[in-house]
Amino acid sequence: MANTSTRTLRLLSLLQTHRYWPGTELAERLGVSVRTLRRDIDRLRELGYPVEARRGVDGGYQLTAGGALPPLVVDDEEAVALAVGLQAAAHSSVEGLAESSVRMLAKVVQVMPARLRRQVEALRAMTLPAGWDSPTRPGVDPGVLTAVALACRDSEHLRFSYTAADGQHTDRHVEPHRLVSLGRRWYLVAYDLTRHHWRSFRIDRLTAPHGTGSRFRPRDLPAADAAEFVRTSLGNLPRPYRVEALVDAPAAAVRERIGRWGTVEELDAEHCRVRMTADSLDWPTMALGALGADFRVLDPPELLEQIHNWGARFNRARA
C-alpha cells in the first residue's frame, strides 16, 4: 500500500477526474479499506478541498466547488496545456491578465520536469499565433519572462545581457522589482547596482537572465507603482484607453465574439455592458462594429469621434 502522502495525492487525482465515486469502488482503486478512505477524505477536507459525502448503500464521494482555491493536482498533459495556455495569455491585451499569467507560468515552470519543459518549448516554437498585432513587433521568450518573474518574486539578484536602442551591449547586475506589460511590450523595473539608480529594461532586448542565488531587501520604488514608473521613464508611451459600451445583444453572444479581449457584464436577457482596455481605438471600433448589434459608447469620448469619422468615410465609399 502506498504511503499516506502518495495515497492522498492519488485520491485527489481520482476525485478531480470523476464526477462521483462510490465509496467501495474508490477504496478498491486505492487498495485501502473504506475506513481508511474516510480518514483520507477528512485529510483532504483539512487541506481545503470541499469533498461531499453521500450516505447509504450507494454512498460515495464527490469533489465540489468551494469558497477558496485549494492546491491542484494535474497530470503531464494538463501541465503542458496549462503552460502553453499561460504563454499565450502572457501576450493578452486584457488588462491585468498578462502580468498574472506570467506569475502563474513562473510557478508552473519552476516545478515542471525537464521532459515536460521540452514539450512546452517544442509546442511554442512550432506554433504561429494569428492575431491583429504587427508581425514586426519583437517577440518575448517565455523562458526569459519566467526567469525574470522568479527573480522578482524571490527578491534574488539578477544578471543579464542588455542591448540598448543604439545597439550597445552591456552586462547588468540588478535588484529586480516587477515585470510590467505596457504598450504591447514587456518591461523589467529594477534597481541597477552598477549605475546606482532605478531603471526600466525592455524584455525583448534582454538575454541570458540568471539569478545569482543572493537575496536582497527590496528598496522603495520612487513611483506610485511599477507601471507608473515605466510610463514616466518612457515619457511618450500612450496611456491605454478604457472603453465602455452598452450593447443590444445577449451577453453570451457577445462573449463568444469578443470575450477574450475584454469583460462582458450581463444587464438583462438582451443587453450587456462591454469593457476593454486598448492602446489604440482601432481595435475597439472594429470589435464593436463586428458584433452585428446596436451599441452605445459610454467612454471614452475619443471613441465616439473615431466612430463618427469612420462612418463618414464608409458613407463616402458607398457614394
Side-chain angles (χ1 to χ4, degrees), residues 307-318:
I307 291 174
H308 174 77
N309 293 335
W310 280 34
R313 192 178 306 127
F314 291 157
N315 281 328
R316 289 195 297 271
R318 182 183 62 179

Side-chain angles (χ1 to χ4, degrees), residues 112-248:
M112 185 175 282
R115 57 187 173 81
L116 295 186
R117 292 187 190 182
R118 287 193 294 270
Q119 291 183 39
V120 171
E121 178 57 27
L123 278 171
R124 185 198 67 79
M126 299 307 296
T127 301
L128 180 65
W132 295 94
D133 292 346
S134 169
T136 60
R137 183 166 60 95
V140 175
D141 183 351
V144 171
L145 274 177
T146 53
V148 174
L150 286 172
C152 291
R153 186 198 67 179
D154 298 336
S155 297
E156 181 181 2
H157 286 117
L158 187 70
R159 290 186 180 274
F160 55 84
S161 298
Y162 192 71
T163 304
D166 59 4
Q168 182 182 4
H169 299 275
T170 55
D171 293 326
R172 301 301 181 101
H173 184 203
V174 304
E175 294 178 355
H177 177 73
R178 194 79 74 238
L179 276 169
V180 176
S181 176
L182 282 177
R184 298 176 181 261
R185 297 189 190 279
W186 280 98
Y187 298 87
L188 165 66
V189 174
Y191 185 82
D192 192 316
L193 292 170
T194 303
R195 292 157 177 78
H196 303 291
H197 61 75
W198 286 91
R199 285 287 310 276
S200 62
F201 300 93
R202 264 179 50 177
I203 296 297
D204 59 286
R205 294 177 177 170
L206 184 155
T207 57
H210 60 279
T212 66
S214 173
R215 304 295 177 88
F216 63 89
R217 182 177 180 178
R219 305 170 188 260
D220 292 332
L221 182 69
D225 54 42
E228 187 61 34
F229 179 83
V230 173
R231 292 188 189 282
T232 302
S233 62
L234 295 179
N236 60 351
L237 182 68
R239 292 182 176 271
Y241 295 99
R242 300 181 185 277
V243 175
E244 182 175 355
L246 300 179
V247 181
D248 297 342

Side-chain angles (χ1 to χ4, degrees), residues 99-110:
E99 288 90 342
S100 57
S101 298
V102 168
R103 289 197 302 271
M104 184 61 196
L105 181 60
K107 294 177 182 179
V108 173
V109 170
Q110 184 182 33

